[in-house]
Amino acid sequence: MIPGPQNAITDIEGLMVGHAQDDALKSGVTVLTSDAPFTASVSVLGGAPGTRETDLLAPDKSVAQVDALVLAGGSAYGLDACSGVMAGLRDQGRGYRVGTAVIPLVPGAIIFDLLSGGDKDWTDTPYPALGRTALNAATTRTEIGTIGAGTGAMTAMMKGGLGTASFMLGNGMTVGALVVANPMGSVTTPGDKHFWAAPFEIDGEFGGLGTDPAAGLGRTLDSRKLGAMMERANTTIAIVATDATLDKAQCQRVAIAAHDGIARACVPAHSPADGDLVFSVSTSAKPLSTPTDLAQIGHAAALCLSRAIARGVYAATAAPDDLLPTWSKLNAQT
């Protein structure tokens, strides 16, 4: 497995990502879409999720494909970003058709960033407009770090962010991940330097510092974030995708496997205060060829997700009134 040309989820042909953020608000929205509907499912392992339309993605539900997926800040307010994306898709004539009615299908998930600083004293929620702007900005490339839904993200010890990564598999298929890293847990070992995801790093994509040489790690739960905010202010939300042809049940299995990527990169993970969620997408461009393809896709998705989490935090940039420092600031003299 080697990273794709962009090391991004948009290495999967047909997928597009758009971002919109308000720097004064310290929050934003990220949208994954395509020119055609795509198969999707979801797995939720966190204890405090915030979601919209995820029941549609269960394997036993009748709707087979959706038009876009939304990752947003804003806690429950951010779910309104899906409405903005729906409005934009409807204007494009895209959606599930029932007679003459057109209904865009747009599941979404949110992180809690209401206490991340920024001006949250709005009269009308800004998230529908941010969602529509993110949809209109969708391209076949994506930036990482302090952008889109990652704008207000924080980890236990430093700013979080939005990350992405990809792998091209030996069987010709591509797998990618897109993630907003905002966990209760840390993404680095004590000392703020070495990423938990270091064993899975490719070509120095998040600093090339290797693994922490210390032993006995993971026994403390130090958190600058808890001191700056509150306990229920966490979530890692992600999308993993492949060009392999998968049905909803197979997509759900890939989403479940991909959660290992969160657990490898964030310590602890899947806590009662996290809303950890992974969407899984198939563009159905390439049929499965062997009985082991599905397992390989799930494994690659988990690896991509670990790398994407570290890349998003590594690329985070400082902004006025930040509550936590960036990784680069903490390691400027090391």
Side-chain angles (χ1 to χ4, degrees), residues 248-310:
K248 283 206 293 183
Q250 291 169 319
C251 279
Q252 186 180 59
R253 179 50 51 188
V254 170
I256 292 168
H259 270 284
D260 288 353
I262 296 177
R264 293 167 184 165
C266 304
V267 178
H270 306 140
S271 77
D274 281 303
D276 294 347
L277 171 150
V278 179
F279 291 111
S280 178
V281 167
S282 165
T283 62
S284 301
K286 300 176 181 179
L288 299 179
S289 57
T290 73
T292 62
D293 281 347
L294 184 61
Q296 187 176 8
I297 291 166
H299 173 55
L303 293 178
C304 284
L305 186 46
S306 289
R307 295 164 51 224
I309 289 169

Side-chain angles (χ1 to χ4, degrees), residues 208-222:
L209 298 174
T211 58
D212 194 326
L217 300 173
R219 293 181 293 166
T220 60
L221 297 177
D222 294 336

Side-chain angles (χ1 to χ4, degrees), residues 155-156 182-186 221 223 225-226 231 234-235 268 271 273-274:
T155 74
N182 184 61
M184 183 191 83
S186 66
L221 297 177
S223 177
K225 182 177 180 178
L226 292 183
E231 185 177 358
N234 318 287
T235 288
S271 77
D274 281 303

Side-chain angles (χ1 to χ4, degrees), residues 25-262:
L25 181 69
K26 275 190 183 291
S27 188
V29 175
T30 295
V31 174
L32 178 86
T33 190
S34 179
D35 289 334
F38 48 81
T39 305
S41 192
V42 68
S43 173
V44 181
L45 295 186
T51 62
R52 173 165 161 165
E53 296 277 36
T54 50
D55 280 357
L56 282 176
L57 305 181
D60 64 323
K61 299 303 184 288
S62 58
V63 173
Q65 296 181 312
V66 300
D67 300 289
L69 294 172
V70 172
L71 308 178
S75 189
Y77 297 103
L79 294 174
D80 279 341
C82 298
S83 297
V85 175
M86 288 182 68
L89 289 168
R90 184 178 184 276
D91 285 351
Q92 298 173 19
R94 294 184 53 192
Y96 184 73
R97 295 184 178 274
V98 182
T100 59
V102 178
I103 309 166
L105 300 178
V106 185
I110 50 84
I111 65 166
F112 186 103
D113 60 3
L114 296 178
L115 299 179
S116 62
D119 181 9
K120 303 299 198 296
D121 189 24
W122 63 74
T123 300
D124 296 317
T125 173
Y127 289 98
L130 286 168
R132 188 161 188 158
T133 300
L135 174 69
N136 291 338
T139 71
T140 55
R141 302 185 67 85
T142 183
E143 299 178 61
I144 62 174
T146 306
I147 191 168
T151 300
M154 296 192 292
T155 74
M157 303 302 284
M158 61 194 66
K159 282 190 74 169
L162 183 135
T164 189
S166 71
F167 269 135
M168 296 187 298
L169 311 187
N171 58 13
M173 298 171 184
T174 302
V175 174
L178 180 73
V179 63
V180 183
N182 184 61
M184 183 191 83
S186 66
V187 298
T188 54
T189 61
D192 302 325
K193 181 177 180 180
H194 296 275
F195 286 94
W196 291 110
F200 314 108
E201 185 177 15
I202 307 293
D203 295 332
E205 61 191 334
F206 41 89
L209 298 174
T211 58
D212 194 326
L217 300 173
R219 293 181 293 166
T220 60
L221 297 177
D222 294 336
S223 177
R224 297 186 184 101
K225 182 177 180 178
L226 292 183
M229 298 178 64
M230 59 184 292
E231 185 177 358
R232 297 182 65 82
N234 318 287
T235 288
T236 299
I237 50 176
I239 303 168
V240 296
T242 181
D243 52 7
T245 301
L246 306 180
D247 59 26
K248 283 206 293 183
Q250 291 169 319
C251 279
Q252 186 180 59
R253 179 50 51 188
V254 170
I256 292 168
H259 270 284
D260 288 353
I262 296 177

